[in-house]
């Protein structure tokens, strides 16, 4: 009669650190997955099916101190320095205050840190690989940010865009296409809307907290209700 969800959504790694989630985070979906050196800030939300994987972190000890929220500088020559020592040289994943990582997104940090700033919206099924997204940006659904991409403040990456490795998107720009290119500058009203969208998602996330406790426990009263419902259907079919 066990009705617990068997999904374990936070995975600390012995040598690569463990997730650190702010007690003031807005929402972590029970079916989201945080692996290794991941930090989630206050007001942030990680949605259904999202995967944040930082299992190649070069300084995992940093993630054993919950009070240390700084993003440290990775050694520039680390790949050459540790080439023959079987040492990982990747980074961590940092999700900033009031940012949201929506359903089925993938964020990794094999090459560099993946740093998500404050008030960032990352649309459904977007992928971010060792890239930096500064404050109040919108990363559209299904878009891909490749290694060492930097998206500056109040920018918009359109749905389905693929941003090539090492690209820098200047503040207030709209990029589209595969490969992505600048289409135009955002208007003042469009830039203001990026702030509004992030704030609205914090409200949406707060409304999810009562659905399921972390781990997926269902109240006995709800289980009984579901069982009664299924019995009713059996009677109807007979």
């Amino acid at each position: 009669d066990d009705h617990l969800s068997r999904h374990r959504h936070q995975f600390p790694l012995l040598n690569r650190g463990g997730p650190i989630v702010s007690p003031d985070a807005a929402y972590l979906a029970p079916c989201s997955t945080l692996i290794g050196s991941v930090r989630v800030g206050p007001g942030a939300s990680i949605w259904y099916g999202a995967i944040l994987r930082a299992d190649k972190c070069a300084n995992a000890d940093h993630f054993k101190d919950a009070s240390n929220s700084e993003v440290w500088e990775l050694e520039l020559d680390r790949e050459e320095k540790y080439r023959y020592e079987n040492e990982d040289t990747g980074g961590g994943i940092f999700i900033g205050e009031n940012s949201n990582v929506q359903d089925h997104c993938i964020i990794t940090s094999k090459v560099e840190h993946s740093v998500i700033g404050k008030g960032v919206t990352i649309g459904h099924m977007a992928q971010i690989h060792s890239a930096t997204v500064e404050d109040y940006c919108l990363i559209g659904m299904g878009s891909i940010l490749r290694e060492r991409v930097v998206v500056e403040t109040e920018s918009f990456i359109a749905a389905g865009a693929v941003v090539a490795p090492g690209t820098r998107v200047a503040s207030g720009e709209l990029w589209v296409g595969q490969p992505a290119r600048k289409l135009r500058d955002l208007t003042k009203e469009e830039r203001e809307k990026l702030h509004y969208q992030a704030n609205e998602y914090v409200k949406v996330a707060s409304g999810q907290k009562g659905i399921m406790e972390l781990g997926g426990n269902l109240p006995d009263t709800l289980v009984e209700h579901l069982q009664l419902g299924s019995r009713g259907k059996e009677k109807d079919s007979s």
Side-chain angles (χ1 to χ4, degrees), residues 32 81 95 114 119 131 145 196:
S32 61
K81 183 176 180 180
I95 308 298
S114 278
L145 306 186
Y196 168 80

Side-chain angles (χ1 to χ4, degrees), residues 31-91:
C31 55
S32 61
T33 304
L34 282 59
I35 303 169
S37 302
V38 178
R39 182 181 293 278
V40 179
S45 55
I46 313 297
W47 290 80
Y48 303 100
I51 299 174
L52 284 64
R53 181 163 60 90
D55 55 354
K56 298 291 184 181
C57 185
N59 185 15
D61 286 344
H62 180 90
F63 283 80
K64 296 176 182 178
D65 181 4
S67 65
N68 189 354
S69 60
E70 294 182 1
V71 181
W72 73 93
E73 293 290 333
L74 293 169
E75 296 178 81
L76 294 177
D77 62 345
R78 65 190 182 282
E79 293 181 12
E80 181 66 28
K81 183 176 180 180
Y82 299 114
R83 176 179 294 181
Y84 304 107
E85 298 184 22
N86 196 31
E87 291 285 338
D88 286 328
T89 57

Side-chain angles (χ1 to χ4, degrees), residues 216-234:
N217 298 337
L218 296 177
D220 289 337
T221 53
L222 179 57
V223 173
E224 292 171 2
H225 173 75
L226 293 173
Q227 289 174 342
L228 288 172
S230 63
R231 289 169 189 165
K233 290 180 181 178
E234 290 173 3

